[in-house]
Amino acid sequence: MSEADLLYKEEFREQYYGDAYQPPLRARLRHLMAQEGGSLRRKAVGDTAAELMTSPAVTISPRSSTVTAARLMNKHGVKRLIVAEDGYLEGIVSRGDLLKTFVRADSDIAREIREEVLEGSLRMETSDVAVNVDRGVVTLNGWMDRRGETMLATRMAHRVNGVVDIIDKLLWKHDDSKRAGDSVINEGP
């Protein structure tokens, strides 16, 4: 049961009990446009958690991404998701929890890009790559061996939580997007 479920009960309680109270126009319009008219009335007169809660519960797997969670919340119009796997409750994730992933120290973002993306996932030689972060904007600067590596590094860095934008200043020694045998030193992006 969510805050919205309880507020709905309070907002429309007098209406269903026959009092003269009339909710604000916006609330009445929301009520009229709701697809589940029967369940809304049930919530307004409900006295138990089962009568008030949103059903069926909207759940997500513990391995789902924050983006997936945000999209699911938006799709179902909920502020929290039940995190469950194999029928077992793992926890609850809220909009606030999701927003925290974007409020990160620049040093944490830089460390994650260097250690987990470049050195970890991509296993690239990155001693010639500088990772600078300013208010979530990442600048990748330096040299990598192949053009394909620079493109992949940029895409993966952009997926790190807290990254607002990427400024790609990476140069490459070999353009592996050309035919085999063609090798070009890149003079700039």
Side-chain angles (χ1 to χ4, degrees):
M1 174 171 34
S2 70
E3 296 155 334
D5 296 329
L6 287 172
L7 288 174
Y8 190 84
K9 176 177 175 52
E10 283 303 308
E11 187 172 40
F12 287 95
R13 175 178 53 166
E14 288 85 4
Q15 177 181 343
Y16 289 117
Y17 287 133
D19 293 347
Y21 169 79
Q22 216 177 16
L25 177 61
R26 190 167 84 183
R28 292 192 317 262
L29 290 174
R30 187 174 60 243
H31 172 66
L32 290 173
M33 295 177 71
Q35 297 174 354
E36 306 173 323
S39 71
L40 294 177
R41 185 183 190 298
R42 177 182 49 82
K43 285 182 182 187
V45 298
D47 290 321
T48 65
E51 293 169 327
L52 295 175
M53 70 183 200
T54 300
S55 177
V58 183
T59 64
I60 192 165
S61 163
R63 291 180 306 284
S64 297
S65 70
T66 56
V67 172
T68 301
R71 288 180 179 159
L72 195 59
M73 285 180 186
N74 186 49
K75 177 182 176 186
H76 292 280
V78 296
K79 295 180 182 179
R80 288 174 197 78
L81 296 174
I82 295 172
V83 181
E85 188 162 50
D86 298 328
Y88 291 99
L89 175 67
E90 299 282 333
I92 295 175
V93 64
S94 70
R95 288 179 182 175
D97 295 329
L98 297 180
L99 289 173
K100 288 176 188 174
T101 64
F102 297 103
V103 182
R104 297 181 65 195
D106 289 340
S107 59
D108 291 343
I109 295 169
R111 182 204 50 76
E112 184 174 343
I113 290 171
R114 171 147 315 279
E115 293 176 8
E116 295 182 27
V117 173
L118 298 175
E119 295 168 2
S121 295
L122 299 178
R123 300 193 187 281
M124 295 180 181
E125 172 52 45
T126 59
S127 58
D128 293 331
V129 175
V131 178
N132 298 304
V133 184
D134 181 27
R135 290 174 285 183
V137 178
V138 176
T139 302
L140 297 174
N141 204 345
W143 286 89
M144 295 182 86
D145 191 45
R146 304 201 177 280
R147 181 178 183 194
E149 292 174 343
T150 66
M151 293 169 28
L152 186 57
T154 302
R155 276 195 308 264
M156 289 186 73
H158 205 278
R159 293 180 181 163
V160 170
N161 289 333
V163 171
V164 174
D165 199 8
I166 299 281
I167 299 172
D168 179 6
K169 293 185 176 180
L170 290 172
L171 304 174
W172 58 87
K173 297 174 185 169
H174 305 285
D175 188 350
D176 54 354
S177 66
K178 297 186 179 279
R179 291 186 307 260
D182 291 347
S183 180
V184 178
I185 298 291
N186 177 14
E187 296 298 330

